[in-house]
Amino acid sequence: MRRPFLVLLTLITLGLTFQPGFARTNFRFSEQSFANTGLGPVLARAAYMQTYEYNTGEAIFQQEFARLHLWISFRGDARLFAIFSDDRLLVTGIRSHRPDAVQLQNRNLREFVIFNPNLHSRAYASTFYLFEPETEDGGLQNGNCREASQWPASADLDSARDSLHPGTEEPEWSTPCKAPVLLYQWLEFLRQQQKEHRQGVTPT
């Protein structure tokens, strides 16, 4: 009696594994909309408060938007998020819900946020990140990078190893402000969604 059950379980597992919705470069997401609001309250729903508090002086936080759209997607113990104003991506990032779920440059990463990325040119120049402390001194360590950077094209990302699992090495791309591979994959997904939206294609 156990053999048919095991065969069925194996087939279901294989079916889920090879569905397009479970591919590394395809993401399922939920969306929330907010009217007449600043960026701060919306970002606080997706990111660590420390990220908001350290960046409130940025011009992007000083204006009110008629409508903001928050997208959230989960991949394992990582949360990916993006905030749009109309068709413009204001902020996107990755947040880890486990200390070793996402790594960058051999350190455990809790959050990596990119402000004002350009989806068309795959460019960004302002990041903020939170690392787990290397000693027992207290809270998360923070930092930022303000150098012009780009993320790789889709073909390069397809061949990259998934950075979600602990101990995975990051590919060496020549960009000053490196980000996790999973965040690059999310950015490329957002880029494709924006392209389809402009072409009038409804995402499935």
Side-chain angles (χ1 to χ4, degrees), residues 44-84:
R45 290 175 174 261
Y48 279 101
M49 281 302 299
Q50 192 171 342
T51 298
Y52 168 64
E53 291 167 354
Y54 273 82
N55 293 279
T56 52
E58 299 290 334
I60 196 173
F61 286 96
Q62 307 307 314
Q63 57 183 304
E64 186 171 280
F65 298 90
R67 186 166 296 276
L68 294 178
H69 303 277
L70 170 62
W71 291 12
I72 292 182
S73 179
F74 289 92
R75 186 62 60 88
D77 288 308
R79 173 197 293 177
L80 297 139
F81 55 89
I83 302 174
F84 291 88

Side-chain angles (χ1 to χ4, degrees), residues 2 33 39-41 112 115 127 144 161 170 181 183 191:
R2 293 184 61 189
S33 295
L39 178 63
F112 193 103
F115 294 96
T127 67
N144 59 49
R161 296 176 63 188
E170 291 282 341
V181 174
L183 182 55
R191 185 175 188 270

Side-chain angles (χ1 to χ4, degrees), residues 101-188:
V102 180
Q103 293 189 337
L104 182 66
Q105 298 176 352
N106 298 318
R107 295 188 63 186
N108 292 338
L109 184 69
R110 272 307 179 112
E111 190 161 274
F112 193 103
V113 177
I114 295 174
F115 294 96
N116 288 312
N118 187 318
L119 291 175
H120 177 72
S121 61
R122 294 189 175 93
Y124 59 97
S126 180
T127 67
F128 179 83
Y129 42 88
L130 296 171
F131 283 109
E132 288 288 326
E134 293 182 330
T135 63
E136 300 295 327
D137 294 338
L140 298 174
Q141 298 173 351
N142 65 79
N144 59 49
C145 183
R146 301 298 176 97
E147 296 187 60
S149 301
Q150 286 189 298
W151 67 88
S154 182
D156 296 322
L157 289 173
D158 289 341
S159 62
R161 296 176 63 188
D162 194 340
S163 65
L164 182 60
H165 302 292
T168 301
E169 294 181 3
E170 291 282 341
E172 285 299 321
W173 285 308
S174 57
T175 185
C177 299
K178 291 182 174 61
V181 174
L182 185 58
L183 182 55
Y184 287 147
Q185 293 168 344
W186 172 243
L187 278 161
E188 196 62 18

